[in-house]
Amino acid sequence: MSIPVSLGANAALDPQWTDAEQSAELQTLRTIVDSATDGIMVIDHGGKLTYYNSVAQQQVAPNSLEEGQLLASLLPEGGRIGFFPWIERSLGAAVERRLKVHLPWSDRWIEVRACPAGSNVVLFSRDVTAEHARETESRRSLNRLTRAVRVDALTGLGNRAAFLERLSAELAAAEPRLLALFYVDLDGFKDVNDTLGHRSGDQLLQKVGRRLRKFCADGAACRFGGDEFGIFRPIEARADVEALSEALLAQFRRPFVVDGAQILLGASVGVTLASRQAVDAEELIRSADVALYRAKTEGRNTFRIFDQGMADSIARRWRLKVALKRALLRRLFYVAYQPIVDLQSGYVAGFEALLRCRDKQLSSAPLTELIELAEETGEIEQIGELVLRTSCAAAAAWPPEMFLSVNVSSVQFRSGQLRSVIEAALQASGLAAERLHIEITETVPLAANDSASAQLDSLRELGVRILLDDFGTGFASLTYLRAFPFDGLKLDRSFVSHFSAEPETHVIARAVGAIAHGLGLRAFSEGVETKEHARALKRKGYRFAQGFLFAEPLSETSANELAQARFRWDIDALEIGTVLQEANEVV
Ligand code: C2E
Ligand code: MG
Ligand code: MG
């Protein structure tokens, strides 16, 4: 809409018209303009208001408008800012101009169009408050959405994507600087979640986030997810990194207060340094993660600085995992049997089934490491079942007084399938349940109401015996003995191997033997390598022993021959060299 002429009180429409005609026409025009839904104001080049309609009155001015009023006196002080200079500039403009402005006195948003009309300017105003609110809301939700993918909703810290971006920018900075990247993982967070509930767990994470935020520049901290956080800081010299890591750990020495409860939480930290420009941020985070893994496996509540050796060990583990998968597919796993000797009679009393692999790469790695990797990948379930089935079948051929001991990993308790796997192995082989010993270590959680305890109970109902393996190496061996009525315990071989160098190991071994007797458990010992070991253990009340002194783990055939012969060792006459040895089968 454009108005070609001034609508001022003394406006002339057409010089040919009579006054009456002009006045009638003017009235018509006024009525039309007055009924417009837009506000209309006409301002002359001197800045005077020469016309306004009622909508303009409502929309624009806080006080009543008056024709002939000077623009400068129309609006209160605050309203002149922005709006007035704009109108003034529009007066001399040759083209239409637009402005969206907030009027503080009415708290409305209006859109104003200034159209030059001769020496005047016509202002059309429209109330766009609702439109503005809609636009703002959609912009806000867009912001929320973009924030959602960049911000961790719980802690308000950046998320991994935002962190990567910040870190990349930092690394690409023109000034090459030394940067320390910290990968933080809370120790014991799961316990807080389990005991105090997830709401407290969330609060705790928020508090951790706040402490970490103070430790670095804005945007230089993030939550990777769960209880894992990332932080980077520029540092002056490499030597500073240790002090800085200590300072970061110190953040966790003060307790966190959640719901009135004081929580002491440790943290494991992996650190990596970047001094080159254009180092890949992802790569840097991976290195810190590798160092974190080391910090966690080496005691927690500590930090480790990344070095290439760590990366090599990760790569090695990865290669072993691949080899493990391949070996399973190619059926390269088999079972070896180490005789367990009755120290009183010297007879072979049973055998422990031990996993072996015909793959060269796998057989050169420590078995405990392979088991750990198989636990990580979950393949231990399949391997465990294979060992149970194979060894039960082998043991069924031995004389009936001989037992079979099989190691079971804590991971095998998770699926709740252990009892059915064992039952199936016993059924298929025809081995009596009473001849099967299951060896577990303290890694199996045996808290009250824990599913593992229930599974062990149900195994005992079947008649299977439960032994506690590697006794004395866990953190709470004695408490553990109270958690479940074991049938026997096996003293860890580390005590036996130190018999000659550390006299106190004798004291411990004797005490463990006495505990076993007191509780009515069978006492086993492993790692018996010399006749002194055997005799010392016999004196300390150990009934059963295994070790290289008697025999290394044997093939199924050799073990069966030994079993059928009811082989007997002369414990008092034993010398090193009487060891039964067999080369491992490797392809
Ligand atoms: P473990 O259950 O404590 O088994 C005894 C380990 O001591 C075996 O190592 C055995 O070869 C070794 N050993 C026996 N006598 C002597 C000795 O006189 N001196 C020394 N130094 N060592 C001796 P291995 O076969 O390497 O097994 C290591 C561990 O791997 C086992 O420790 C057990 O925890 C685990 N393991 C073995 N087979 C299985 C399996 O089928 N399933 C699971 N879950 N774990 C298994
Ligand atoms: Mg064992
Ligand atoms: Mg052991």
Side-chain angles (χ1 to χ4, degrees):
M1 176 179 181
S2 77
I3 294 184
V5 289
S6 158
L7 288 174
N10 44 12
L13 291 174
D14 187 333
Q16 310 288 307
W17 289 353
T18 65
D19 279 357
E21 276 173 338
Q22 282 200 10
S23 155
E25 192 62 20
L26 201 59
Q27 198 49 51
T28 314
L29 262 173
R30 272 183 179 265
T31 313
I32 294 169
V33 172
D34 272 344
S35 60
T37 51
D38 283 1
I40 300 172
M41 286 189 291
V42 182
I43 293 167
D44 72 13
H45 63 280
K48 256 194 254 155
L49 179 69
T50 55
Y51 172 78
Y52 61 90
N53 67 0
S54 55
V55 181
Q57 162 81 65
Q58 285 160 21
Q59 271 177 358
V60 181
N63 310 310
S64 59
L65 292 174
E66 266 180 49
E67 283 172 4
Q69 231 178 341
L70 268 178
L71 191 61
S73 65
L74 275 179
L75 305 173
E77 279 293 318
R80 290 179 204 164
I81 303 163
F83 189 26
F84 266 41
W86 181 83
I87 294 176
E88 274 166 350
R89 274 200 307 279
S90 302
L91 282 171
V95 289
E96 183 182 307
R97 302 172 78 219
R98 278 169 190 265
L99 173 76
K100 195 165 132 183
V101 67
H102 178 246
L103 303 180
W105 52 87
S106 58
D107 194 21
R108 312 286 301 172
W109 282 88
I110 59 163
E111 188 185 72
V112 188
R113 234 164 11 105
C115 304
S119 57
N120 301 323
V121 62
V122 185
L123 301 177
F124 298 96
S125 59
R126 196 162 60 88
D127 190 317
V128 291
T129 309
E131 216 173 289
H132 177 80
R134 272 197 304 277
E135 274 171 20
T136 314
E137 183 44 40
S138 66
R139 204 171 30 247
R140 275 203 194 120
S141 44
L142 189 68
N143 281 346
R144 271 199 297 272
L145 263 174
T146 27
R147 265 175 71 80
V149 293
R150 304 184 48 75
V151 172
D152 169 53
L154 185 65
T155 59
L157 295 177
N159 63 7
R160 191 185 183 95
F163 187 70
L164 261 175
E165 215 168 85
R166 260 302 292 275
L167 184 60
S168 303
E170 203 74 24
L171 290 169
E175 278 284 296
R177 295 155 89 192
L178 203 52
L179 262 190
L181 174 73
F182 303 90
Y183 202 128
V184 182
D185 183 295
L186 307 182
D187 296 333
F189 176 69
K190 191 178 170 297
D191 295 340
V192 174
N193 248 350
D194 291 349
T195 52
L196 299 179
H198 285 260
R199 215 179 60 87
S200 299
D202 283 355
Q203 280 180 35
L204 181 62
L205 289 174
Q206 284 168 339
K207 297 205 167 184
V208 168
R210 250 171 263 155
R211 274 194 204 170
L212 293 183
R213 185 177 280 137
K214 285 191 201 139
F215 190 76
C216 58
D218 243 12
C222 83
R223 179 171 167 232
F224 288 130
D227 60 349
E228 295 184 0
F229 297 84
I231 291 175
F232 66 82
R233 267 180 63 154
I235 56 169
E236 292 296 317
R238 281 178 178 273
D240 297 346
V241 72
E242 303 221 348
L244 205 57
S245 307
E246 280 295 354
L248 179 55
L249 280 180
Q251 300 293 318
F252 294 90
R253 303 242 161 81
R254 279 180 296 130
F256 291 88
V257 181
V258 171
D259 285 337
Q262 292 216 349
I263 300 171
L264 252 179
L265 198 70
S268 301
V269 179
V271 195
T272 186
L273 285 172
S275 55
R276 286 169 296 138
Q277 267 183 279
V279 183
D280 179 35
E282 289 261 22
E283 184 61 40
L284 213 57
I285 293 175
R286 263 197 300 276
S287 309
D289 195 12
V290 167
L292 168 66
Y293 180 82
R294 197 47 83 81
K296 280 201 286 191
T297 50
E298 291 179 6
R300 297 174 181 262
N301 207 0
T302 182
F303 68 90
R304 288 288 178 273
I305 301 167
F306 173 80
D307 64 46
Q308 194 50 43
M310 291 183 188
D312 294 346
S313 104
I314 295 275
R316 177 173 166 276
R317 285 170 73 84
W318 184 78
R319 280 195 300 273
L320 285 177
K321 279 186 187 175
V322 174
L324 207 81
K325 224 178 253 322
R326 198 183 48 212
L328 253 178
L329 283 172
R330 292 172 57 195
R331 300 172 189 272
L332 295 182
F333 285 107
Y334 68 100
V335 182
Y337 301 86
Q338 186 174 36
I340 297 175
V341 181
D342 183 331
L343 286 177
Q344 280 169 10
S345 64
Y347 282 112
V348 54
F351 295 84
E352 177 173 9
L354 294 163
L355 182 71
R356 293 292 180 265
C357 186
R358 288 189 191 91
D359 178 87
K360 210 183 243 168
Q361 192 184 0
L362 290 180
S363 59
S364 63
L367 186 67
T368 41
E369 188 182 8
L370 297 187
I371 300 283
E372 209 180 285
L373 292 174
E375 285 175 341
E376 271 177 39
T377 61
E379 274 149 355
I380 191 68
E381 294 249 19
Q382 211 182 326
I383 294 176
E385 186 170 351
L386 180 141
V387 172
L388 274 162
R389 283 186 162 273
T390 316
S391 60
C392 284
W398 305 336
E401 71 275 16
M402 292 182 192
F403 58 78
L404 163 72
S405 227
V406 179
N407 297 284
V408 165
S409 145
S410 60
V411 176
Q412 287 171 268
F413 285 88
R414 279 192 210 145
S415 66
Q417 299 295 310
L418 189 61
R419 178 179 159 139
S420 57
V421 169
I422 288 178
E423 256 187 310
L426 290 173
Q427 232 160 37
S429 61
L431 186 76
E434 291 68 28
R435 293 177 62 195
L436 178 62
H437 293 179
I438 291 297
E439 296 189 11
I440 66 163
T441 63
E442 283 176 46
T443 54
V444 176
L446 282 190
N449 302 329
D450 217 302
S451 109
S453 311
Q455 291 180 63
L456 282 179
D457 277 333
S458 101
L459 283 179
R460 282 190 97 205
E461 279 164 22
L462 273 183
V464 174
R465 307 261 157 86
I466 314 293
L467 303 188
L468 181 50
D469 200 1
D470 302 344
F471 187 81
T473 54
F475 289 114
S477 301
L478 295 179
T479 314
Y480 209 71
L481 276 184
R482 283 174 52 211
F484 185 81
F486 288 95
D487 296 288
L489 57 81
K490 235 185 202 188
L491 179 72
D492 190 72
R493 67 173 181 268
S494 57
F495 295 101
V496 182
S497 63
H498 288 92
F499 269 178
S500 53
E502 295 172 24
E504 56 272 31
T505 53
H506 281 277
V507 181
I508 296 169
R510 191 177 308 119
V512 171
I515 289 171
H517 274 277
L519 294 173
L521 315 182
R522 290 173 159 199
F524 291 75
S525 173
E526 49 183 33
V528 180
E529 292 182 357
T530 66
K531 60 180 178 179
E532 286 73 27
H533 289 166
R535 287 183 198 137
L537 287 162
K538 193 176 166 187
R539 274 200 309 277
K540 293 176 188 14
Y542 287 81
R543 173 80 191 273
F544 301 101
Q546 66 192 95
F548 296 160
L549 172 67
F550 307 110
E552 291 198 353
L554 307 171
S555 71
E556 184 179 329
T557 316
S558 303
N560 192 40
E561 279 169 12
L562 205 73
Q564 301 307 337
R566 291 191 162 84
F567 195 88
R568 181 173 180 272
W569 284 268
D570 183 351
I571 304 289
D572 299 320
L574 274 169
E575 293 295 339
I576 308 172
T578 52
V579 180
L580 293 173
Q581 240 178 348
E582 256 181 8
N584 280 336
E585 306 167 35
V586 170
V587 291

